[in-house]
Amino acid sequence: MRGDDNGLQADEERSPLISTRFLVIATITILALAAASIAISWFGSAYGARLSLAGHSESTEIVNITIGRDRLAFPANAIRFEHQRRSGLAERIDLYLLWPEMTGYSAKERRRFDDLALSQSLVFLQISQSTMSRDMSGRVEPIYRSLLEPQTSEGPAGLQSHVFRAGTGYEGESLLTATAPDGTAYAIRCLLPSVAEKATSSDCQRDIHVGEDLTVLYRFSSRMLDDWQSIDAAVRAYVAGRSGPATATTTLKNQSKASTDRSS
């Protein structure tokens, strides 16, 4: 009996205090925790950076887009919505640009994009294939004229102000018109605030034709109306300078896509 006790005691003395199995499990656990910590740190950093951008992009990589018969190339940081920052066929593209720089988002200018109090800082563009033969200026006489009150008054920035009649669907809006220095007609619709402080970032809108077959609807704050001539010229130049005719193959593909979309 004593011999058995001695043998058992000898076995216990030879046994390691920590088993190999325990060491393996502990090592795996430590490695898993370390990997999880690294993953959480990386995800937190990446998500935090993305969250801080709040949908904006600082990338100046060029995105090539085809709309109808027009090929367009814009930097990613000028494209307003994340899902539109990919090359290929599109039905429309939305841009936002600083005024008067006509540049896209940057961390340095973040406040001008995010602070509603700085509503006079941005111009918003929506570019799509034309659906009407006339732009806003061309619609004044054949369409808008019959919807307006007969009286006109002096509007802001040397523009003539016309008020829409009740029941026309444009209640509360004013149509502001002028003759541009080159002799062409100018027209823009605005929801003019009672005081300048109540102006929004997009209470004036106008559409123009650019390129092969594009309509550019652009919007800005009524507080920027003093710059109406400069804004119109800048928007035309910005889009025209970044557009060109689409190739015949791409145009056919886009027309086919549009046909499929309409039939669905």
Side-chain angles (χ1 to χ4, degrees):
M1 192 69 178
R2 181 179 296 276
D4 291 341
D5 291 341
N6 290 338
L8 182 59
Q9 184 177 358
D11 289 341
E12 290 175 348
E13 289 176 352
R14 286 194 297 269
S15 299
L17 294 175
I18 302 176
S19 69
T20 301
R21 183 182 179 189
F22 176 82
L23 286 173
V24 170
I25 294 173
T27 301
I28 291 173
T29 301
I30 291 171
L31 289 175
L33 290 172
S37 178
I38 292 171
I40 291 171
S41 176
W42 177 86
F43 179 79
S45 176
Y47 182 74
R50 183 169 180 174
L51 188 64
S52 68
L53 286 171
H56 303 302
S57 173
E58 293 185 88
S59 173
T60 56
E61 180 182 355
I62 297 299
V63 180
N64 295 293
I65 301 156
T66 298
I67 298 177
R69 295 190 283 127
D70 293 83
R71 176 182 48 80
L72 301 150
F74 298 116
N77 67 338
I79 300 174
R80 188 178 178 191
F81 301 118
E82 186 175 4
H83 70 274
Q84 294 181 342
R85 298 181 192 130
R86 54 177 61 91
S87 296
L89 303 178
E91 293 185 357
R92 89 177 199 199
I93 189 77
D94 294 86
L95 310 179
Y96 53 176
L97 302 166
L98 287 174
W99 178 255
E101 298 91 336
M102 296 297 283
T103 54
Y105 177 86
S106 68
K108 180 181 177 182
E109 301 292 351
R110 175 178 179 176
R111 185 164 175 260
R112 293 172 67 188
F113 281 84
D114 293 340
D115 191 343
L116 295 177
L118 301 176
S119 60
Q120 69 276 21
S121 292
L122 297 173
V123 179
F124 299 91
L125 285 69
Q126 185 182 101
I127 304 171
S128 59
Q129 193 170 6
S130 296
T131 57
M132 293 182 286
S133 60
R134 299 172 184 266
D135 62 11
M136 186 170 288
S137 294
R139 297 196 300 273
V140 172
E141 293 303 326
I143 297 176
Y144 292 138
R145 185 65 66 188
S146 62
L147 306 178
L148 298 168
E149 296 286 358
Q151 306 88 348
T152 62
S153 60
E154 191 70 23
L159 297 163
Q160 287 295 308
S161 179
H162 313 261
V163 178
F164 285 97
R165 291 187 287 104
T168 61
Y170 298 103
E171 291 89 347
E173 292 190 39
S174 296
L175 181 71
L176 306 178
T177 62
T179 300
D182 62 0
T184 59
Y186 176 88
I188 187 167
R189 293 194 347 244
C190 294
L191 281 165
L192 296 174
S194 55
V195 292
E197 290 71 21
K198 293 184 178 181
T200 71
S201 60
S202 56
D203 45 18
C204 287
Q205 70 172 40
R206 166 173 164 79
D207 61 78
I208 57 176
H209 288 167
V210 179
E212 297 292 307
D213 188 30
L214 292 174
T215 288
V216 181
L217 171 67
Y218 68 87
R219 297 175 288 118
F220 58 86
S221 172
S222 56
R223 298 174 70 179
M224 297 160 58
L225 278 171
D226 284 342
D227 294 330
W228 64 266
Q229 294 181 55
S230 299
I231 293 172
D232 198 62
V235 169
R236 288 181 187 275
Y238 186 88
V239 177
R242 292 162 178 79
S243 65
T247 62
T249 301
T250 305
T251 301
L252 287 173
K253 286 181 180 178
N254 207 25
Q255 289 173 342
S256 176
K257 179 179 182 294
S259 176
T260 301
D261 290 341
R262 283 194 297 268
S263 63
S264 59

